[in-house]
Amino acid sequence: MGAPARNEGMPLVVAIDGPAGAGKSSVARRVAQALGFRFLDTGAMYRAATWRALAHHVNLDEPEAVALAARDMQLELHESAAGLRVLVDGTDVTEAIRSPEVTRQIYILDQNPAVRAHLVELQRAFAAQGPTGAEGSDMGTIVFPESLCKILLDASLDERTRRRACELEANGHSADFKSLRREIHERDEKTRNRTVAP
């Protein structure tokens, strides 16, 4: 069976969807490298927007203020030999966006329709610049419905917790497995039940 038909002008995208901690970023990065595609880490985009809102002391209970902070963000994603570097307003926040504080609050921006609409626009603009390996929880359904290839990547809650704990520890943060497992489960439920792109 050949590749699915694509409309002329549609970006060439391999979309990898799945829940938090399933390994989407790792797999999408390797797929992009193997194919010579650009790598789009949409999770890093939501983390960057969350970091910026926290850094600017935006009241996360005010959806309009949160959306404005995301729209005002100058976001740059750069691939390097050491991996993806994330810059917000000219500041490298690659490590900062992986902090437990950002992880705990990211769901607020993830569920904000205006934030999602803005970041989806940036994601599509990114893919329009060249073939892309993209990861995220709605890549093949909402952002790139006409992707060349769609993959749903999943893992057990315990395995996803173990992966996230290792990531936190590698970045110098302590990780309590039980608390982290509960946080990931709660994020799963919020993602499944959000009004936009569940």
Side-chain angles (χ1 to χ4, degrees):
M1 180 167 40
R6 294 170 56 250
N7 292 338
E8 202 62 37
M10 289 298 297
L12 185 62
V13 175
V14 172
I16 300 181
D17 293 22
K24 300 185 299 297
S25 296
S26 300
V27 172
R29 183 181 290 108
R30 292 183 67 176
V31 167
Q33 288 173 345
L35 296 175
F37 285 15
R38 305 169 78 227
F39 168 53
L40 176 58
D41 184 345
T42 65
M45 297 174 78
Y46 282 96
R47 286 178 173 277
T50 304
W51 178 89
R52 188 179 193 275
L54 292 170
H56 286 260
H57 307 290
V58 174
N59 185 345
L60 299 186
D61 292 326
E62 296 181 3
E64 296 82 4
V66 170
L68 180 61
R71 285 194 296 268
D72 285 346
M73 172 178 64
Q74 297 299 311
L75 177 65
E76 299 173 63
L77 304 177
H78 298 292
E79 275 292 330
S80 70
L84 183 73
R85 306 306 298 178
V86 182
L87 278 69
V88 172
D89 303 332
T91 299
D92 190 325
V93 297
T94 305
E95 282 74 35
I97 64 173
R98 303 290 172 184
S99 72
E101 183 182 16
V102 168
T103 299
R104 279 193 296 271
Q105 305 295 337
I106 192 173
Y107 78 92
I108 296 173
L109 281 83
D110 190 49
Q111 294 182 353
N112 184 309
V115 171
R116 294 193 71 82
H118 176 63
L119 293 186
V120 166
E121 186 178 310
L122 295 183
Q123 291 156 16
R124 289 175 176 160
F126 183 98
Q129 296 175 33
T132 300
E135 66 78 38
S137 63
D138 59 355
M139 288 299 97
T141 54
I142 302 296
V143 186
F144 303 114
E146 297 190 41
S147 304
L148 171 69
C149 177
K150 300 179 185 182
I151 298 167
L152 176 62
L153 186 65
D154 201 357
S156 70
L157 178 57
D158 283 345
E159 176 59 19
R160 291 188 288 128
T161 303
R162 186 196 67 78
R163 288 177 51 83
R164 187 53 54 82
C166 289
E167 180 183 88
L168 285 169
E169 289 166 358
N171 287 315
H173 303 288
S174 60
D176 176 73
F177 188 89
K178 188 178 291 187
S179 298
L180 191 57
R181 187 181 192 277
R182 183 175 61 253
E183 286 177 12
I184 292 174
H185 175 68
E186 289 173 355
R187 184 172 170 192
D188 287 347
E189 291 304 305
K190 287 168 182 168
T191 299
R192 286 191 191 101
N193 296 303
R194 66 190 177 204
T195 56
V196 180

